[in-house]
mmCIF file of all heavy atoms in Angstrom:
data_model
loop_
_atom_site.group_PDB
_atom_site.id
_atom_site.type_symbol
_atom_site.label_atom_id
_atom_site.label_comp_id
_atom_site.label_asym_id
_atom_site.label_seq_id
_atom_site.Cartn_x
_atom_site.Cartn_y
_atom_site.Cartn_z
ATOM 1 N N TYR F 415 -20.856 -3.469 1.693
ATOM 2 C CA TYR F 415 -21.502 -2.330 1.026
ATOM 3 C C TYR F 415 -23.010 -2.297 1.311
ATOM 4 O O TYR F 415 -23.578 -1.269 1.687
ATOM 5 C CB TYR F 415 -21.230 -2.438 -0.483
ATOM 6 C CG TYR F 415 -21.999 -1.439 -1.304
ATOM 7 C CD1 TYR F 415 -21.701 -0.077 -1.229
ATOM 8 C CD2 TYR F 415 -23.020 -1.857 -2.154
ATOM 9 C CE1 TYR F 415 -22.415 0.835 -1.982
ATOM 10 C CE2 TYR F 415 -23.732 -0.951 -2.891
ATOM 11 C CZ TYR F 415 -23.430 0.396 -2.814
ATOM 12 O OH TYR F 415 -24.146 1.301 -3.549
ATOM 13 N N THR F 416 -23.619 -3.517 1.163
ATOM 14 C CA THR F 416 -25.053 -3.599 1.433
ATOM 15 C C THR F 416 -25.342 -3.240 2.885
ATOM 16 O O THR F 416 -26.307 -2.513 3.192
ATOM 17 C CB THR F 416 -25.560 -5.045 1.166
ATOM 18 O OG1 THR F 416 -25.019 -5.494 -0.066
ATOM 19 C CG2 THR F 416 -27.064 -5.088 1.124
ATOM 20 N N LEU F 417 -24.437 -3.802 3.751
ATOM 21 C CA LEU F 417 -24.617 -3.496 5.184
ATOM 22 C C LEU F 417 -24.536 -1.993 5.431
ATOM 23 O O LEU F 417 -25.350 -1.414 6.173
ATOM 24 C CB LEU F 417 -23.525 -4.236 5.960
ATOM 25 C CG LEU F 417 -23.717 -4.286 7.480
ATOM 26 C CD1 LEU F 417 -24.929 -5.141 7.818
ATOM 27 C CD2 LEU F 417 -22.470 -4.853 8.154
ATOM 28 N N ASN F 418 -23.521 -1.467 4.768
ATOM 29 C CA ASN F 418 -23.387 -0.004 4.915
ATOM 30 C C ASN F 418 -24.637 0.715 4.443
ATOM 31 O O ASN F 418 -25.121 1.647 5.095
ATOM 32 C CB ASN F 418 -22.194 0.488 4.096
ATOM 33 C CG ASN F 418 -20.932 0.515 4.928
ATOM 34 O OD1 ASN F 418 -21.010 0.631 6.144
ATOM 35 N ND2 ASN F 418 -19.803 0.396 4.277
ATOM 36 N N LEU F 419 -25.107 0.199 3.265
ATOM 37 C CA LEU F 419 -26.329 0.817 2.729
ATOM 38 C C LEU F 419 -27.478 0.689 3.716
ATOM 39 O O LEU F 419 -28.210 1.647 3.989
ATOM 40 C CB LEU F 419 -26.724 0.155 1.397
ATOM 41 C CG LEU F 419 -26.020 0.640 0.146
ATOM 42 C CD1 LEU F 419 -26.518 -0.154 -1.061
ATOM 43 C CD2 LEU F 419 -26.281 2.120 -0.093
ATOM 44 N N LYS F 420 -27.588 -0.543 4.275
ATOM 45 C CA LYS F 420 -28.674 -0.778 5.230
ATOM 46 C C LYS F 420 -28.525 0.127 6.452
ATOM 47 O O LYS F 420 -29.497 0.698 6.953
ATOM 48 C CB LYS F 420 -28.676 -2.257 5.670
ATOM 49 C CG LYS F 420 -29.028 -3.219 4.537
ATOM 50 C CD LYS F 420 -30.494 -3.581 4.622
ATOM 51 C CE LYS F 420 -31.009 -4.207 3.334
ATOM 52 N NZ LYS F 420 -30.578 -5.575 3.085
ATOM 53 N N ASN F 421 -27.231 0.162 6.892
ATOM 54 C CA ASN F 421 -26.988 1.052 8.047
ATOM 55 C C ASN F 421 -27.386 2.491 7.734
ATOM 56 O O ASN F 421 -27.965 3.195 8.568
ATOM 57 C CB ASN F 421 -25.500 0.998 8.435
ATOM 58 C CG ASN F 421 -25.203 -0.218 9.282
ATOM 59 O OD1 ASN F 421 -26.103 -0.736 9.946
ATOM 60 N ND2 ASN F 421 -23.972 -0.698 9.227
ATOM 61 N N GLU F 422 -27.009 2.847 6.495
ATOM 62 C CA GLU F 422 -27.377 4.220 6.081
ATOM 63 C C GLU F 422 -28.884 4.386 6.107
ATOM 64 O O GLU F 422 -29.414 5.384 6.602
ATOM 65 C CB GLU F 422 -26.873 4.501 4.670
ATOM 66 C CG GLU F 422 -25.450 4.997 4.651
ATOM 67 C CD GLU F 422 -25.017 5.307 3.229
ATOM 68 O OE1 GLU F 422 -25.827 5.872 2.470
ATOM 69 O OE2 GLU F 422 -23.879 4.985 2.878
ATOM 70 N N VAL F 423 -29.539 3.312 5.538
ATOM 71 C CA VAL F 423 -31.001 3.379 5.511
ATOM 72 C C VAL F 423 -31.553 3.465 6.930
ATOM 73 O O VAL F 423 -32.446 4.271 7.230
ATOM 74 C CB VAL F 423 -31.589 2.149 4.765
ATOM 75 C CG1 VAL F 423 -33.106 2.105 4.916
ATOM 76 C CG2 VAL F 423 -31.216 2.198 3.308
ATOM 77 N N ILE F 424 -30.939 2.606 7.827
ATOM 78 C CA ILE F 424 -31.404 2.631 9.233
ATOM 79 C C ILE F 424 -31.183 4.011 9.834
ATOM 80 O O ILE F 424 -32.057 4.577 10.505
ATOM 81 C CB ILE F 424 -30.679 1.537 10.050
ATOM 82 C CG1 ILE F 424 -31.207 0.149 9.627
ATOM 83 C CG2 ILE F 424 -30.897 1.730 11.542
ATOM 84 C CD1 ILE F 424 -30.348 -1.009 10.090
ATOM 85 N N ASP F 425 -29.956 4.518 9.555
ATOM 86 C CA ASP F 425 -29.673 5.866 10.075
ATOM 87 C C ASP F 425 -30.680 6.871 9.539
ATOM 88 O O ASP F 425 -31.206 7.719 10.280
ATOM 89 C CB ASP F 425 -28.251 6.304 9.674
ATOM 90 C CG ASP F 425 -27.202 5.591 10.509
ATOM 91 O OD1 ASP F 425 -27.619 4.966 11.511
ATOM 92 O OD2 ASP F 425 -26.012 5.672 10.152
ATOM 93 N N ASP F 426 -30.897 6.720 8.217
ATOM 94 C CA ASP F 426 -31.863 7.639 7.595
ATOM 95 C C ASP F 426 -33.227 7.513 8.251
ATOM 96 O O ASP F 426 -33.880 8.511 8.574
ATOM 97 C CB ASP F 426 -32.013 7.331 6.095
ATOM 98 C CG ASP F 426 -30.862 7.926 5.311
ATOM 99 O OD1 ASP F 426 -30.075 8.661 5.927
ATOM 100 O OD2 ASP F 426 -30.770 7.657 4.089
ATOM 101 N N MET F 427 -33.607 6.238 8.450
ATOM 102 C CA MET F 427 -34.942 6.025 9.027
ATOM 103 C C MET F 427 -35.020 6.555 10.458
ATOM 104 O O MET F 427 -36.039 7.134 10.858
ATOM 105 C CB MET F 427 -35.293 4.524 8.999
ATOM 106 C CG MET F 427 -35.669 4.074 7.575
ATOM 107 S SD MET F 427 -35.951 2.336 7.477
ATOM 108 C CE MET F 427 -37.570 2.222 8.136
ATOM 109 N N LYS F 428 -33.899 6.308 11.196
ATOM 110 C CA LYS F 428 -33.883 6.835 12.572
ATOM 111 C C LYS F 428 -34.041 8.357 12.563
ATOM 112 O O LYS F 428 -34.814 8.937 13.327
ATOM 113 C CB LYS F 428 -32.568 6.459 13.262
ATOM 114 C CG LYS F 428 -32.587 5.080 13.877
ATOM 115 C CD LYS F 428 -31.254 4.814 14.571
ATOM 116 C CE LYS F 428 -31.230 3.397 15.132
ATOM 117 N NZ LYS F 428 -29.897 3.056 15.634
ATOM 118 N N LYS F 429 -33.270 8.920 11.643
ATOM 119 C CA LYS F 429 -33.347 10.376 11.564
ATOM 120 C C LYS F 429 -34.732 10.833 11.127
ATOM 121 O O LYS F 429 -35.288 11.798 11.650
ATOM 122 C CB LYS F 429 -32.287 10.919 10.600
ATOM 123 C CG LYS F 429 -30.929 10.968 11.264
ATOM 124 C CD LYS F 429 -29.870 11.519 10.361
ATOM 125 C CE LYS F 429 -28.535 11.493 11.091
ATOM 126 N NZ LYS F 429 -27.426 11.792 10.221
ATOM 127 N N LYS F 430 -35.242 10.053 10.135
ATOM 128 C CA LYS F 430 -36.579 10.420 9.673
ATOM 129 C C LYS F 430 -37.605 10.245 10.786
ATOM 130 O O LYS F 430 -38.528 11.045 10.932
ATOM 131 C CB LYS F 430 -36.967 9.564 8.463
ATOM 132 C CG LYS F 430 -36.443 10.162 7.173
ATOM 133 C CD LYS F 430 -36.833 9.368 5.968
ATOM 134 C CE LYS F 430 -36.197 9.993 4.729
ATOM 135 N NZ LYS F 430 -36.272 9.128 3.568
ATOM 136 N N LEU F 431 -37.368 9.131 11.572
ATOM 137 C CA LEU F 431 -38.270 8.906 12.705
ATOM 138 C C LEU F 431 -38.207 10.082 13.687
ATOM 139 O O LEU F 431 -39.250 10.599 14.143
ATOM 140 C CB LEU F 431 -37.895 7.598 13.408
ATOM 141 C CG LEU F 431 -38.828 7.185 14.538
ATOM 142 C CD1 LEU F 431 -40.185 6.779 13.983
ATOM 143 C CD2 LEU F 431 -38.218 6.042 15.337
ATOM 144 N N ALA F 432 -36.955 10.460 13.960
ATOM 145 C CA ALA F 432 -36.793 11.605 14.879
ATOM 146 C C ALA F 432 -37.456 12.847 14.297
ATOM 147 O O ALA F 432 -38.148 13.605 15.002
ATOM 148 C CB ALA F 432 -35.308 11.863 15.118
#
Side-chain angles (χ1 to χ4, degrees):
Y415 172 69
T416 315
L417 192 67
N418 268 334
L419 278 179
K420 293 262 164 74
N421 279 335
E422 274 182 41
V423 171
I424 289 165
D425 285 348
D426 280 353
M427 285 175 79
K428 275 182 183 172
K429 281 181 182 170
K430 275 181 183 167
L431 185 69

